[in-house]
Amino acid sequence: MRRQDNERGLEELRKVRRESRPYYWFVGIFSFFVNLLMLTGPLYMLQVYDRVLGSRSVATLIALSVLVVFLYGMMGLLDYTRGRVMGRVAARFQSKLDTRVFDAVVRRSAVQPDELSQTGLRDLESVQRLMSSPVLMAFFDIPWTPVFLIGISLFHPWLGYLAMSGGAVLIIITVINQLVTKNPTLKSNVTTMQAEKISDQLRQESEMVQALGMRRAAFLRWHDARQKSLSGQIGASDLTGSFTTLTRTLRLLLQSAMLGLGAYLVLQGELTPGAMIAGSILMGRALAPIELAIGQWALVERARKGWQNLGQLLAEVPPEQPRTALPAPRAKLDVQQLTVVPPGEQQAALRIVSFTLEPGHALGVIGPSGAGKSTLARALTGVWRPAGGKIRLDGATLDQYGPDVLGEHIGYLPQRVTLFDGTIAENIARLSQAPDDTKIVEAAKKAAAHEMILKLPEGYNTRVSSTGGRLSGGQMQRIGLARAMYGDPVILVLDEPNSNLDNEGSQAVNQAIKRMKEEGKSVLIMAHRPAAIQECDMLLMLENGSRSAFGPKDEVLKSMVKNHEQITKTAAMPGGVR
Ligand SMILES: Nc1ncnc2c1ncn2[C@@H]1O[C@H](COP(=O)(O)OP(=O)(O)OP(=O)(O)O)[C@@H](O)[C@H]1O
């Protein structure tokens, strides 16, 4: 996506940033006073050398020193306050965007789990971190650098020339630093993330890694990524480090050069000793923010990249428009000419498929592997949008329901059940903030999982992890079914519900389907095994993404048998299919 296309997302970010505009003014005004108070040191030196030492007045020295303590105190207070304000502005920026970015990340991950969706929340954090860091304060201070440099030239034009040329060299170094360190810093960030991703995945799949004897190979793969990340980090930190050292050395050198030139001018009688010292201190103050910015440039680069990424993410996943709340739908599903193209693919996985499902019916969707059954399930649950055709739930297309509302109406049991870290009850209640215990138990009973859960050591409060923890595959599937049934959905989409179930589990699922039908609700079962379609009244047969048969179960099965016999007979004939 080009920068121009990201503009909508960037504008969204800028809008949130603009909301804190009064605070930026506040910090700007405070920075003015902080920088003004920076003159305390040089002015003190000027007074001590040129007035106190000349007049030998202890009283003046004490008065000046008290004043300096007060002024430094004020400066510290203002500096601390502006830091606190920016910290809060940064936190506000993050929390204002948290919901929006989280929503965009979840929506994008569901269809395209790429780098952009993975880093979304981290990108927001890196922008927040820059906003609350001292580097940002340095940006508020840098505009004062020329003012300090001009101040130096007021002492003596030669000092001014030296300060200006020193400042110019530092600015050139800053620009070169920005150009040179940009790519290595970003590259090192990417390699670090890749190494983390590999280690996360290997940790999650540790059981399989162990069982398949993949430990050494897995280690080498991770180690390779880790080495790349490490050498990237060393390269980037060497580069940034060299610029930091260069600027620091240059600043110290310039300060000393300032003293040297000042001393020469004092010897020539063109400058007072106080001005010599004050000039050197001013030089240090003028260059300090530039030095700080260069030292922390990696933070700036990360935030800059994060800002661009966020712009792209928000542009690609626009906010959802509010929808008119519809009444609870009847369990009537109407699929017309549905075509679905998996995200990032060119070819449709489902082509012009039509069927209807009436309330109180169960539809079995059968077909070989890769026929498009799971694709249909994802389209029916609103996860993948149709590239063509329509899916209507009680007359309204799916996009007329809000995604969370649709989730309440259509219960979904995915092919691979994943639970979330938490208790079984929390998982069944779909992590609801206000879980309803009665509904949780009811859903578990409908899924015939109630007894099984009670037998666990802590019943409904048993803690589980994303991979199930102490639960077996079949137990996870039954909890997944209870989760699908939580909140009384009108339609249930079950993708291979029997894949991990024993006989008792399969019967429990069939019982649940029967109950749904009796309540006037409907069920779709994507299945390989005959046991799964026992309760189905209708069958939809998919082949290569197209509908090859649809109708009452017995008729479809009969025609399948007939076709099968036909094929067998033809194959048996001389010259037939072999
Ligand atoms: N996330 C995805 N990205 C790209 N293509 C996909 C994705 N998921 C599925 N497909 C493709 O869509 C086609 C249909 O896959 P689908 O998972 O719907 O088949 P299925 O009938 O459910 O198979 P199975 O019975 O093995 O689960 C396949 O060609 C597959 O390669």
Side-chain angles (χ1 to χ4, degrees):
M1 209 185 224
R2 294 191 319 272
R3 194 183 150 71
Q4 206 180 348
D5 302 321
N6 297 347
E7 206 36 55
R8 199 179 42 205
L10 292 172
E11 188 44 38
E12 225 182 310
L13 295 174
R14 283 189 213 115
K15 199 170 152 223
V16 178
R17 193 178 57 184
R18 274 199 296 271
E19 285 175 20
S20 297
R21 200 181 262 170
Y23 297 99
Y24 297 123
W25 277 108
F26 183 80
V27 173
I29 292 168
F30 268 45
S31 300
F32 168 74
F33 286 109
V34 168
N35 281 283
L36 204 63
L37 288 167
M38 290 271 187
L39 296 174
T40 305
L43 286 177
Y44 182 62
M45 283 300 148
L46 216 54
Q47 295 302 316
V48 168
Y49 272 82
D50 297 349
R51 186 175 295 198
V52 177
L53 295 184
S55 66
R56 307 186 72 78
S57 159
V58 174
T60 314
L61 179 63
I62 293 174
L64 276 174
S65 303
V66 170
L67 187 65
V68 160
V69 169
F70 171 74
L71 291 177
Y72 269 134
M74 287 302 292
M75 190 182 83
L77 191 68
L78 290 175
D79 201 15
Y80 169 69
T81 312
R82 67 175 183 160
R84 270 178 69 100
V85 171
M86 265 329 284
R88 275 150 188 78
V89 167
R92 186 178 136 127
F93 176 82
Q94 180 176 316
S95 62
K96 283 237 162 190
L97 279 166
D98 259 349
T99 320
R100 170 76 177 101
V101 174
F102 182 82
D103 184 56
V105 164
V106 172
R107 278 165 60 204
R108 192 184 161 95
S109 301
V111 291
Q112 210 168 333
D114 60 1
E115 207 174 284
L116 199 59
S117 49
Q118 267 167 27
T119 59
L121 294 170
R122 223 180 290 171
D123 287 331
L124 181 58
E125 221 176 272
S126 60
V127 175
Q128 177 269 337
R129 222 172 273 159
L130 173 70
M131 287 174 87
S132 59
S133 77
V135 194
L136 200 87
M137 287 308 146
F139 288 128
F140 275 97
D141 293 338
I142 285 176
W144 296 95
T145 298
V147 178
F148 288 143
L149 297 181
I150 292 169
I152 294 172
S153 47
L154 290 181
F155 292 137
H156 195 283
W158 284 17
L159 291 183
Y161 298 145
L162 178 63
M164 302 272 188
S165 42
V169 171
L170 261 182
I171 288 168
I172 292 170
I173 293 178
T174 313
V175 174
I176 298 176
N177 166 64
Q178 204 260 344
L179 294 175
V180 172
T181 56
K182 191 171 140 191
N183 283 339
T185 311
L186 292 181
K187 231 163 119 188
S188 112
N189 289 343
V190 171
T191 48
T192 307
M193 239 174 57
Q194 280 166 348
E196 273 172 25
K197 199 169 140 192
I198 293 178
S199 80
D200 282 352
Q201 198 184 16
L202 291 175
R203 225 165 349 101
Q204 263 171 19
E205 302 298 334
S206 56
E207 208 176 284
M208 188 181 61
V209 170
Q210 186 110 345
L212 293 179
M214 288 166 58
R215 255 168 41 191
R216 175 93 193 128
F219 168 76
L220 289 177
R221 179 171 277 242
W222 168 76
H223 190 62
D224 188 37
R226 177 97 147 165
Q227 283 302 106
K228 273 191 196 138
S229 134
L230 210 58
S231 64
Q233 273 177 29
I234 290 175
S237 88
D238 277 355
L239 254 181
T240 340
S242 60
F243 276 101
T244 312
T245 317
L246 186 66
T247 33
R248 191 179 312 132
T249 315
L250 196 69
R251 178 174 64 82
L252 292 173
L253 189 73
L254 275 172
Q255 272 183 272
S256 295
M258 207 65 157
L259 273 181
L261 184 61
Y264 175 75
L265 291 171
V266 172
L267 290 179
Q268 300 300 312
E270 290 187 35
L271 197 71
T272 62
M276 173 188 82
I277 304 283
S280 169
I281 297 178
L282 262 185
M283 186 75 198
R285 293 268 176 272
L287 304 182
I290 299 184
E291 192 185 323
L292 177 65
I294 290 182
Q296 300 283 313
W297 201 253
L299 202 68
V300 179
E301 257 329 307
R302 251 199 305 273
R304 207 185 56 81
K305 181 77 185 141
W307 181 269
Q308 290 300 333
N309 283 352
L310 280 177
Q312 188 182 345
L313 176 72
L314 299 188
E316 285 184 17
V317 191
E320 282 186 313
Q321 297 306 317
R323 298 167 172 91
T324 308
L326 295 173
R330 287 177 312 135
K332 182 172 165 53
L333 200 62
D334 192 7
V335 176
Q336 287 306 323
Q337 315 261 322
L338 178 67
T339 297
V340 181
V341 180
E345 296 291 310
Q346 302 291 328
Q347 225 179 344
L350 215 55
R351 276 180 292 275
I352 327 178
V353 171
S354 302
F355 65 90
T356 48
L357 182 61
E358 295 295 332
H361 282 76
L363 168 72
V365 182
I366 53 173
S369 276
K373 303 183 292 295
S374 297
T375 304
L376 177 63
R378 290 188 188 113
L380 291 174
T381 47
V383 180
W384 287 1
R385 302 218 161 168
K390 292 265 180 288
I391 304 175
R392 290 182 188 278
L393 172 61
D394 196 15
T397 50
L398 295 188
D399 51 15
Q400 292 180 39
Y401 298 91
D404 284 353
V405 178
L406 189 66
E408 282 169 21
H409 298 320
I410 300 184
Y412 176 44
L413 174 69
Q415 201 170 46
R416 193 174 166 193
V417 178
T418 330
L419 300 177
F420 298 96
D421 285 353
T423 64
I424 288 183
E426 284 169 345
N427 269 284
I428 294 179
R430 303 179 185 183
L431 304 183
S432 162
Q433 285 281 311
D436 183 329
D437 288 350
T438 322
K439 281 188 185 173
I440 292 172
V441 175
E442 203 179 300
K445 279 186 175 162
K446 277 188 192 168
H450 180 65
E451 307 293 331
M452 180 271 287
I453 296 170
L454 290 184
K455 279 185 200 148
L456 292 169
E458 288 165 79
Y460 281 88
N461 295 324
T462 305
R463 293 201 75 79
V464 290
S465 68
S466 53
T467 46
R470 65 178 67 174
L471 300 178
S472 72
Q475 285 172 327
M476 273 176 79
Q477 207 153 22
R478 274 155 86 172
I479 289 168
L481 182 61
R483 178 174 65 185
M485 294 185 121
Y486 180 78
D488 236 3
V490 289
I491 291 186
L492 206 54
V493 178
L494 310 176
D495 196 353
E496 306 276 356
N498 299 56
S499 57
N500 279 315
L501 296 182
D502 55 9
N503 224 5
E504 187 201 349
S506 286
Q507 272 176 13
V509 172
N510 286 335
Q511 202 57 35
I513 297 169
K514 206 167 162 188
R515 267 186 81 167
M516 287 285 287
K517 282 167 46 180
E518 282 164 7
E519 289 172 9
K521 295 164 182 169
S522 40
V523 187
L524 279 109
I525 306 128
M526 282 62 193
H528 273 299
R529 299 211 225 152
I533 54 167
Q534 197 179 311
E535 284 301 325
C536 292
D537 321 274
M538 308 287 287
L539 272 191
L540 168 68
M541 169 90 177
L542 292 177
E543 255 173 282
N544 275 330
S546 301
R547 174 182 130 170
S548 65
F550 174 68
K553 181 170 81 178
D554 296 337
E555 277 180 28
V556 173
L557 286 178
K558 245 185 243 163
S559 77
M560 276 169 70
V561 173
K562 227 173 171 180
N563 282 346
H564 180 71
E565 280 170 0
Q566 198 89 40
I567 290 166
T568 324
K569 258 191 222 159
T570 321
M573 276 160 61
V577 181
R578 275 166 222 278

